[in-house]
Amino acid sequence: MALSDELSKLTVRAQEADERAGAATETAKSELEANRDFARARGEEQAEDRRAVTEKGQEQISDAWKEMEISWNHATAALREDVESRKAEHDLRKAQRRADRAEEDARFAINFAYSAIAEAEYSVLDAELARMDADEQSKEGDEEAGARI
């Protein structure tokens, strides 16, 4: 699959998330909980897929991305533990602070994802340029070899 196709899949996934989030205020609590749990399971599946890709291409993925993977895994695990521990809070002030914090976490996650999309775009374009450079060098090498014959 071409890298631009992968980026298109990302666009579709972002649109799905936007639709679910937009409908959240008009969704029953039980359905919203089910959607949240589904999103978490989907996130965990994606993380497993990402880990598998990282392990498969260890030598070909830059160290910066490997470090980002480790950092991301630690951060998401900590956030999920925090969410689970906060679910038990019943005090109104605590619940309000929990809601405020959850909103700020969501805002940060959106900003982080926005940056990740920009980085993905850069990486796709850089990969295409690198492939073009390699193809040009290959053609130049073929032309030089043909000229010597």
Side-chain angles (χ1 to χ4, degrees), residues 59-143:
E59 298 81 38
Q60 297 170 331
I61 297 173
S62 71
D63 289 340
W65 283 114
K66 291 175 195 172
E67 290 171 17
M68 175 66 86
E69 171 75 13
I70 292 167
S71 177
W72 177 260
N73 291 340
H74 288 287
T76 55
L79 283 170
R80 288 184 177 155
E81 279 181 35
D82 188 45
V83 167
E84 291 301 320
S85 70
R86 289 185 286 160
K87 282 183 189 177
E89 296 177 2
H90 295 290
D91 179 276
L92 175 60
R93 281 187 298 145
K94 287 182 180 178
Q96 288 172 334
R97 283 193 306 266
R98 178 183 167 271
D100 292 343
R101 196 151 101 204
E103 288 169 350
E104 287 306 312
D105 284 350
R107 189 170 285 109
F108 182 83
I110 290 166
N111 288 334
F112 189 88
Y114 189 85
S115 295
I117 290 169
E119 197 59 38
E121 178 186 21
Y122 169 82
S123 294
V124 166
L125 297 174
D126 185 56
E128 291 298 328
L129 284 169
R131 179 59 56 205
M132 285 179 182
D133 287 346
D135 290 347
E136 284 176 12
Q137 288 181 12
S138 176
K139 286 179 187 174
E140 289 172 5
D142 290 345
E143 289 172 5

Side-chain angles (χ1 to χ4, degrees), residues 1 3-18 42 46 112-121 124:
M1 178 177 285
L3 291 174
S4 60
D5 293 338
E6 292 291 326
L7 210 50
S8 293
K9 282 175 45 180
L10 180 60
T11 301
V12 170
R13 178 62 186 101
Q15 288 171 339
E16 290 171 357
D18 181 47
R42 214 168 166 186
Q46 184 62 40
F112 189 88
Y114 189 85
S115 295
I117 290 169
E119 197 59 38
E121 178 186 21
V124 166

Side-chain angles (χ1 to χ4, degrees), residues 19-78:
E19 289 169 9
R20 273 196 203 87
T25 58
E26 298 168 11
T27 304
K29 185 176 180 181
S30 60
E31 185 179 346
L32 193 54
E33 288 171 341
N35 287 345
R36 181 204 56 205
D37 294 344
F38 176 75
R40 180 177 182 171
R42 214 168 166 186
E44 289 172 355
E45 286 174 17
Q46 184 62 40
E48 284 299 316
D49 290 347
R50 194 179 59 247
R51 277 190 280 279
V53 167
T54 302
E55 288 174 13
K56 183 179 175 185
Q58 276 296 336
E59 298 81 38
Q60 297 170 331
I61 297 173
S62 71
D63 289 340
W65 283 114
K66 291 175 195 172
E67 290 171 17
M68 175 66 86
E69 171 75 13
I70 292 167
S71 177
W72 177 260
N73 291 340
H74 288 287
T76 55

